[in-house]
Amino acid sequence: MTVAARLAELGISLPEPAKAVANYVPYVQTGNLVHISGQLSNDASGGIKGTVGADVSPEQAKDGARMCGVNLLAQMSAALDGDLERVVRVVKLGGFVQVAGDFEAIPAVINGCSDLMVEVFGDKGRHARSAVGVYKLPLGFAVEVDAIVEVR
């Protein structure tokens, strides 16, 4: 099954890739690796903002991580001129969750993004990962995820 068919099956329509909000670029390709800048837990509805474990539930945060994944896919598509079939492997995801002091289920939140990569790319979506709890994220969003992707 193609990546486009998997996205359609999942009901995912890729958004316009987010523009940089500071002095950086959304992605950089060096050799056969594409490094994608952190994507936030936002979508057309506004997304998931707040602090997980205080005003955002773990389930909402996991949905936010999935939003990050959709935004990563949009950036991948932009980097690859719309051809996600060129993805050889999702190499690594770096996940950041804005957390209350006692919230520890950070890996479960980032699974929202990890699960999406495997749903979309199959075994090529299995990746190394970090999942970190932080005090604040840009613009008040609950989750941010960046990625390194091998391409052909």
Side-chain angles (χ1 to χ4, degrees):
M1 182 180 289
T2 67
V3 173
R6 284 190 197 107
L7 289 171
E9 185 177 84
L10 294 168
I12 296 172
S13 175
L14 296 182
E16 186 71 26
K19 305 285 187 231
V21 298
N23 189 17
Y24 65 92
V25 294
Y27 57 83
V28 170
Q29 183 169 350
T30 180
N32 64 340
L33 295 177
V34 176
H35 294 256
I36 303 171
S37 296
Q39 301 296 300
L40 297 167
S41 54
N42 62 344
D43 63 7
S45 72
I48 309 287
K49 288 188 172 188
T51 302
V52 183
D55 51 338
V56 175
S57 73
E59 296 77 20
Q60 290 171 309
K62 187 174 181 181
D63 289 344
R66 188 175 180 90
M67 288 176 191
C68 294
V70 170
N71 293 329
L72 286 168
L73 292 169
Q75 295 292 357
M76 282 180 218
S77 182
L80 300 172
D81 298 320
D83 187 3
L84 289 173
E85 296 302 324
R86 290 178 50 203
V87 171
V88 172
R89 181 83 190 237
V90 177
V91 176
K92 184 172 184 198
L93 297 179
F96 304 90
V97 182
Q98 182 170 284
V99 296
D102 60 349
F103 185 81
E104 295 180 349
I106 298 154
V109 168
I110 301 302
N111 279 347
C113 186
S114 292
D115 293 348
L116 178 64
M117 293 301 138
V118 174
E119 289 172 18
V120 171
F121 295 111
D123 283 340
K124 296 188 301 185
R126 297 193 186 283
H127 51 272
R129 185 180 87 178
S130 54
V132 180
V134 298
Y135 173 67
K136 291 289 179 194
L137 285 173
L139 308 173
F141 284 97
V143 185
E144 180 175 357
V145 182
D146 60 23
I148 301 171
V149 181
E150 181 184 3
V151 300
R152 57 176 156 74

